[in-house]
Amino acid sequence: MNARIRRTVLAAALVTGIAAGTAGPALAAGALAPGRTHTTAPATAGTDTGALSDLIAGLPDEGATAALIRLGGAEGAWRGSAGVHDLVTKRPADPDARFRAGSVTKVFTAATVLQLAAERKLSLDRPVRSYLPELIPAAYGTVTVRQLLNHTSGLPSADFPGDTVEEWYANRFHRFDARELVASATAKEREFPAGTRQHYLNINYTVAGLLIEKVTGHTYEAEVSRRVLAPLGLRDTSFPGSDPRIHGPHNHGYQRMKLEDGTTGLRDVSVWGATDGWAAGDVISTTADLERFLTALFRGRVVRGPLLEEMFTLPDPSVRDFVSGRKPAYSAGLSSWELGGRRVWGKTGGRWGYNAGIGATRDLSRTLVYSINSTDAKAQGENALVMGVVSTVFGAPSAG
């Protein structure tokens, strides 16, 4: 990767409007002028922080309106932020902003289930139906707790209203019920026999959230807060429940979509319910909190003893990905990548207007946390800016 990566700023004519709830007026020329870049750069080894600064220096552009990056670990620390708080005031992005972390939530959920397993309140090898007989039908009676966590359950996705971003936006305040989502999924035929394939789907962690509630007698949010957030002092991390707003300082998220007048433009999607994700994808956090969580997790301060190894153990290579046919890439809560010739573990997430991710080498020599306010955060395929950041920090993905 070139050490000085420049991103093209989107011409104002390409964006026809910003809306928050309804379509807004067309953006004036210069509405996407680059925001100010802020960096804090102590001595850092092994990472070209100049390249990272250049990567985000052109924000906002057609792909993102803001970016927050935090590096840590034995190789040194660095922080960078760029872009704008919002496209109306064009204030610089808040480097300490809260954001929707999407599927990073799954790491919190998996850690809580593993704590319960360590306390023998549940068993990873026991069928989920033995804990939730009223919810899991006999057709899924062999699915184990471990198979939920590593996405080898064979459970299909639940049904949701709409397929396009415009249809999702129209339902942004709909309150999804976790049990109804599970009932919708389990009414279908299984995708494959449990344990034979891997298919990354939110439904596995929706069931895991209900499992936590069943064996503890507490709400999912209360149990994760008691076990993870409070002990680590993650004061800026929260579960929104049915509240569609991000409370506290946050940079606005935008999504490109069709507007009421038939044009395509950016709509402010900062206010959007996350009950469809729940235990699979609704957490709100900051880069500082996620870095603290990531470090504590890898050091064995969240999940202790042999159960921690579940998070760093992939299914047997014979268990191929259901969609791509590739080797499995998901463990209990984490994902695994070969980057720059070394193994990196972490998790990415996407909610409308927000992409987030955490990642680290197992020895914590290098850690990365990022939040990027992408204008198509849930698009299929790899986000160019995200891949640029990850590759600059850890190295390019290994071939194959």
Side-chain angles (χ1 to χ4, degrees), residues 14 23-24 36 54 65 67 74 83 91 109 111 177 181 188 208 230-231 273 314 359 371 399:
L14 292 180
R36 187 170 61 202
D54 282 354
T65 58
R91 299 200 321 258
T109 304
D177 179 82
L181 292 176
K188 305 174 187 178
L314 298 174
S371 169

Side-chain angles (χ1 to χ4, degrees), residues 278-294:
W278 191 49
D282 73 348
V283 79
I284 292 170
S285 194
T286 63
T287 59
D289 269 13
L290 290 182
E291 181 183 64
R292 180 178 295 185
F293 172 60
L294 176 67

Side-chain angles (χ1 to χ4, degrees), residues 21 27 32 46 48-49 61 68 73 75 98 138 140 171 175 181 193 196 203-204 221-222 228 243 249 313 347 385:
L27 290 181
L32 288 186
D48 188 343
T49 53
D61 68 6
L68 313 178
E75 294 178 5
R98 297 173 185 177
Y140 292 93
N171 288 286
R175 296 187 180 184
L181 292 176
T196 64
I203 192 65
N204 292 295
E221 295 84 356
V228 182
D243 190 339
T313 302
K347 191 71 191 72
L385 181 53

Side-chain angles (χ1 to χ4, degrees), residues 304-319:
R304 294 176 172 83
L307 269 300
L308 178 60
E309 292 307 308
E310 294 286 338
M311 305 192 85
F312 298 99
T313 302
L314 298 174
D316 188 275
S318 64
V319 179

Side-chain angles (χ1 to χ4, degrees), residues 19 63-65 98-103 160-174 176 202 244-246 250-258 265-277 281-284 349-356 371-380 383:
T65 58
R98 297 173 185 177
F99 51 84
R100 301 190 189 279
S103 286
F160 291 98
D163 298 313
T164 68
V165 61
E166 292 81 11
E167 290 170 328
W168 271 98
Y169 180 76
N171 288 286
R172 66 193 181 280
F173 299 132
H174 181 83
F176 294 90
N202 280 353
R245 298 184 178 275
I246 303 174
H250 62 280
N251 300 317
H252 287 223
Y254 295 86
Q255 171 66 36
R256 183 169 290 103
M257 66 176 78
K258 289 182 180 179
L266 295 181
R267 190 185 292 277
D268 190 325
V269 292
S270 308
V271 180
W272 193 312
T275 54
D276 61 297
D282 73 348
V283 79
I284 292 170
R351 295 292 305 180
W352 303 112
Y354 299 88
N355 279 124
S371 169
I372 294 174
N373 293 53
S374 302
T375 58
D376 197 4
K378 295 179 76 65
Q380 295 296 317
N383 180 287

Side-chain angles (χ1 to χ4, degrees), residues 182-378:
V182 175
S184 168
T186 56
K188 305 174 187 178
E189 293 185 5
R190 64 186 183 183
E191 291 189 326
F192 48 81
T196 64
R197 293 288 185 270
Q198 185 173 73
H199 191 188
Y200 178 87
L201 289 173
N202 280 353
I203 192 65
N204 292 295
Y205 277 72
T206 301
V207 177
L210 292 170
L211 178 62
I212 289 170
E213 294 191 335
K214 183 61 177 285
V215 301
T216 66
H218 304 138
T219 66
Y220 164 80
E221 295 84 356
E223 195 66 18
V224 180
S225 296
R226 181 179 72 86
R227 290 173 171 274
V228 182
L229 306 194
L232 297 182
L234 306 183
R235 297 180 179 85
D236 292 317
T237 300
S238 62
F239 300 96
S242 60
D243 190 339
R245 298 184 178 275
I246 303 174
H247 293 277
H250 62 280
N251 300 317
H252 287 223
Y254 295 86
Q255 171 66 36
R256 183 169 290 103
M257 66 176 78
K258 289 182 180 179
L259 305 177
E260 283 83 350
D261 61 3
T263 61
T264 298
L266 295 181
R267 190 185 292 277
D268 190 325
V269 292
S270 308
V271 180
W272 193 312
T275 54
D276 61 297
W278 191 49
D282 73 348
V283 79
I284 292 170
S285 194
T286 63
T287 59
D289 269 13
L290 290 182
E291 181 183 64
R292 180 178 295 185
F293 172 60
L294 176 67
T295 302
L297 181 70
F298 279 43
R299 287 177 176 167
R301 292 178 49 211
V302 180
V303 180
R304 294 176 172 83
L307 269 300
L308 178 60
E309 292 307 308
E310 294 286 338
M311 305 192 85
F312 298 99
T313 302
L314 298 174
D316 188 275
S318 64
V319 179
R320 295 288 174 149
D321 184 87
F322 182 63
V323 177
S324 69
R326 297 174 182 171
K327 293 180 181 180
Y330 303 101
S331 63
L334 297 177
S335 304
S336 177
W337 307 273
E338 282 286 342
L339 299 171
R342 55 183 173 175
R343 177 69 61 179
V344 175
W345 297 87
K347 191 71 191 72
T348 60
R351 295 292 305 180
W352 303 112
Y354 299 88
N355 279 124
I358 61 175
T361 54
R362 181 71 191 272
D363 63 1
L364 293 173
S365 57
R366 168 56 72 226
T367 68
L368 166 67
V369 178
Y370 65 81
S371 169
I372 294 174
N373 293 53
S374 302
T375 58
D376 197 4
K378 295 179 76 65

